[in-house]
Amino acid sequence: MTTAIIQARLGSTRLPRKVLKDLNGKPLIFHVINRLKFCKQIDSIVLATTTNPIDDKLVEWCKDNDIPCFRGDESNVLKRYYDAATKFKADIIVRVTADDPFKDPKVIDSVINMLKNESLDFAFNNCPPSFPEGLDTEVFTYDAIKKAFEAKTTDFEKEHVTQYFYHNPEKFNLKNFSYKEDISNIRLTVDTDQDFELAEKIYERLTPKEQMFYLDDIISLFNREPALLNINKGVKRSAMYEK
């Protein structure tokens, strides 16, 4: 079974409670989950949050919307993933972060298919990056995360789940999936007010036309309205995306 596990919590520091923030009439987390439902290669979706009482409202939202939910370690996200994958009997895990409301189902399906067809332990599209920040896709087997969980990992690797794979490539069969060009300078994740403003404008422009929009639709929008890219241009980027 291929399971998307979404890591989510309400205690973010830069933009508190962002996953329940209203985006185009629905909580941001709704859009993350809704886009995953368009993936043909994903069998189930699980939200993995923490045992911190601040996340009770997130758990309530999951119950109200029939989304399977798992509560686990707040700081050791690797353990949270491993425990959630074990409980829900996942054979293949798609790692999703809850602040990315632009995940592309076609990209995710392509990375999953690459992992399956080439018998990989870990498939990804961000090392080196070519897709926009926020369209990161990381897919790994249950055996791979079990190996990482049982290894002597650093605190950084426990917090960031897949870093043990990147740091120990000799222990895994892994491969990067690249876009046709390098557009990793584009930022499509939500960590700040500027990021959220851009997300609002994209959803306002694209969702009235189609039930689902994809990366190509976003790029076409930016070609028509290049000034949109200036909204979050100055936001500090993930180290992986810094040139």
Side-chain angles (χ1 to χ4, degrees), residues 4-96:
I5 300 181
I6 307 168
Q7 61 186 80
R9 63 189 184 96
L10 294 178
S12 57
T13 54
R14 287 206 284 182
L15 192 59
R17 304 176 65 83
K18 62 185 174 183
V19 298
L20 292 181
K21 196 173 175 64
D22 185 278
L23 176 61
N24 201 47
K26 298 281 189 179
L28 189 151
I29 189 64
F30 166 86
H31 298 290
V32 177
I33 293 170
N34 184 57
R35 296 179 72 80
L36 293 175
K37 290 179 178 178
F38 283 79
C39 293
K40 296 177 181 178
Q41 297 298 319
I42 288 177
D43 302 307
S44 61
I45 301 169
V46 174
L47 189 141
T49 190
T50 82
T51 54
N52 190 320
I54 195 175
D55 291 319
D56 289 351
K57 288 193 176 297
L58 191 52
V59 174
E60 290 173 13
W61 184 88
C62 287
K63 289 179 180 177
D64 292 341
N65 290 274
D66 298 319
I67 305 299
C69 186
F70 176 84
R71 303 190 81 163
D73 197 290
E74 182 168 15
S75 57
N76 190 342
V77 192
L78 173 61
K79 183 179 189 304
R80 197 194 315 167
Y81 262 81
Y82 174 70
D83 290 343
T86 301
K87 178 177 179 179
F88 288 94
K89 296 179 170 56
D91 301 307
I92 296 172
I93 299 100
V94 181
R95 181 189 177 218
V96 180

Side-chain angles (χ1 to χ4, degrees), residues 221-233:
L221 172 62
F222 288 155
N223 288 335
R224 295 192 301 270
E225 301 185 52
L228 289 173
L229 289 167
N230 294 327
I231 294 174
N232 66 348
K233 189 175 181 180

